[in-house]
Amino acid sequence: MLHKVVAQLRLEWHELITIHPSDRPWQMALAAALATGLPLMVGAWFDHLDYGLISSLGGLSFLYLPATPLHHRMVSMMALSFGMIACYACGVISHFFPALLVPVLTLVAILVTMLCRFYRVGAPGSMFFVMAASIAAYTPTTVTDVPLKVGLLTMGCLLATLIAFFYSLVILRLREPQPIAPLLKADFDFVVVDAVVVGTFVGVSLALAQALQLERPYWVPVSCLAVIQGMSLRAVWMRQLHRLLGTVLGLLVAFALLMLPLGKWSVALLLTTLSFIIETAVMRHYGFAVIFITPLTIFLADAATLGLEPPGQVIEARLIDTVVGCAVGLVGGVCLHSTRFRGIITPLIRRAIPSRLIP
């Protein structure tokens, strides 16, 4: 018995420290860093870092750029940018209706996951769409600021699409594009059932965060989604382990950075550097990338209010958010990959949907 436990621990440790090969070009990491960093630099130039942070969030749409021919890349980027804008707008509007926060974000998670699975959108899947909606929902705002904020995010998405165009011109001279994969026949379980389960647990994580009275718990549904998106129960477990350990180390990095006398330009350069490191490392080791994803997300959501809260309070809040989100995500992953659970939930979902809509 002890021998089996030791062997399992060795296996877990080996998977935890394994560095995977990556064929991602350095130009892609640089372009992603520019898509995130340039809006911040423009915001710093005009002394409106808060505007730059919103546009920088839209710049994350660059990360969905497929490795296909140029025309397909641009159509994909425009469609994905529209999705990002729509999710952010839903989040901003739901901010004024606290009772609708959980239903709206649950619906966003379900629909976005469904679309990503139907159109075979690769990693990071629905995560950044839900992240944009979640941050928007918990960012203080006024009704008159809604068009401004949605417009700023739209400009960030447009800049990301422009950067994607010029990056594609360069990289397609160095690498052959991958063929456009044909859309497979929609599988009801994969597209609909999985999306409903994933979205429901994202909503449960947010409802739990509200029940615990966590302040601005935007990171709870994102952590939950990041864990539950694993393609197998084993992948879900490893994602949770990587995310928890990476977040703990990342919070230490974030705490050290928050203690520095950061100005608007240093924040812009810092987030650009973090984006470059993340996109260079994420394919090789997810846990290592999370070390830098954690401070990046903290600054994207809270940089405009730096100095108003003690750094220790910010770090503690994000740690609690991560633990709650990962715990719900792990339970959701177990249910998602449980044959017995799916046998119960699938007929219920089929009965709730008109038969003419089921392939």
Side-chain angles (χ1 to χ4, degrees):
M1 183 65 180
L2 180 60
H3 176 72
K4 291 183 178 180
V5 172
V6 172
Q8 185 63 33
L9 290 175
R10 285 179 178 174
L11 177 63
E12 297 289 343
W13 175 251
H14 179 265
E15 291 203 21
L16 188 62
I17 64 173
T18 298
I19 298 176
H20 303 282
S22 173
D23 63 347
R24 178 172 288 186
W26 64 266
Q27 294 94 334
M28 193 269 185
L30 178 61
L34 290 176
T36 305
L38 282 179
L40 294 168
M41 295 178 189
V42 173
W45 177 268
F46 289 103
D47 199 25
H48 271 290
L49 187 62
D50 52 338
Y51 290 0
L53 288 166
I54 298 173
S55 293
S56 180
L57 194 59
L60 294 174
S61 59
F62 176 87
L63 302 179
Y64 291 94
L65 180 69
T68 49
L70 183 61
H71 69 280
H72 185 261
R73 289 175 179 236
M74 293 299 99
V75 171
S76 299
M77 280 298 300
M78 288 186 283
L80 291 162
S81 294
F82 175 80
M84 185 77 79
I85 295 165
C87 290
Y88 184 84
C90 288
V92 171
I93 294 171
S94 67
H95 173 78
F96 302 103
F97 307 95
L100 296 179
L101 278 174
V102 173
V104 167
L105 289 179
T106 300
L107 184 61
V108 166
I110 291 174
L111 293 179
V112 172
T113 303
M114 201 176 293
L115 288 171
C116 286
R117 286 177 176 251
F118 182 84
Y119 288 104
R120 300 300 194 270
V121 176
S126 55
M127 190 173 76
F128 287 128
F129 298 99
V130 174
M131 178 176 164
S134 185
I135 289 178
Y138 286 96
T139 300
T141 188
T142 61
V143 174
T144 55
D145 284 339
V146 171
L148 171 64
K149 289 191 171 184
V150 175
L152 288 169
L153 186 112
T154 302
M155 292 175 67
C157 291
L158 291 175
L159 177 62
T161 303
L162 185 63
I163 291 173
F165 174 73
F166 286 108
Y167 162 75
S168 298
L169 291 180
V170 173
I171 204 65
L172 289 176
R173 293 176 63 89
L174 304 175
R175 295 189 176 194
E176 288 293 325
Q178 295 179 5
I180 302 172
L183 285 180
L184 303 177
K185 183 179 179 181
D187 179 81
F188 184 82
D189 282 5
F190 180 74
V191 175
V192 179
V193 176
D194 284 10
V196 171
V197 174
V198 168
T200 299
F201 275 94
V202 167
V204 168
S205 70
L206 186 58
L208 180 59
Q210 290 192 344
L212 295 173
Q213 297 183 342
L214 302 182
E215 185 179 0
R216 293 184 62 192
Y218 63 87
W219 196 234
V220 174
V222 178
S223 297
C224 174
L225 186 60
V227 170
I228 202 175
Q229 280 191 142
M231 296 306 293
S232 65
L233 187 56
R234 177 73 182 171
V236 169
W237 165 251
M238 289 309 300
R239 278 251 171 177
Q240 188 208 37
L241 195 58
H242 277 243
R243 192 159 198 88
L244 280 174
L245 294 178
T247 297
V248 170
L249 295 175
L251 288 173
L252 294 176
V253 174
F255 182 77
L257 293 174
L258 288 170
M259 295 299 292
L260 298 175
L262 297 174
K264 54 187 180 181
W265 283 105
S266 53
V267 168
L269 294 173
L270 172 63
L271 294 186
T272 304
T273 304
L274 288 174
S275 296
F276 181 81
I277 295 173
I278 291 166
E279 294 312 310
T280 303
V282 69
M283 299 297 292
R284 294 177 170 85
H285 195 281
Y286 179 71
F288 179 77
V290 172
I291 296 175
F292 301 96
I293 290 173
T294 302
L296 175 71
T297 54
I298 288 175
F299 277 91
L300 277 176
D302 299 321
T305 58
L306 285 179
L308 300 181
E309 293 181 281
Q313 184 176 331
V314 175
I315 299 303
E316 181 184 359
R318 296 295 80 80
L319 178 59
I320 295 173
D321 292 348
T322 301
V323 171
V324 172
C326 286
V328 177
L330 180 60
V331 174
V334 171
C335 293
L336 188 64
H337 299 286
S338 168
T339 305
R340 180 178 297 180
F341 178 82
R342 296 180 72 91
I344 296 172
I345 198 70
T346 301
L348 296 177
I349 296 174
R350 282 184 176 274
R351 283 200 295 268
I353 299 175
S355 58
R356 66 179 182 277
L357 300 179
I358 299 177

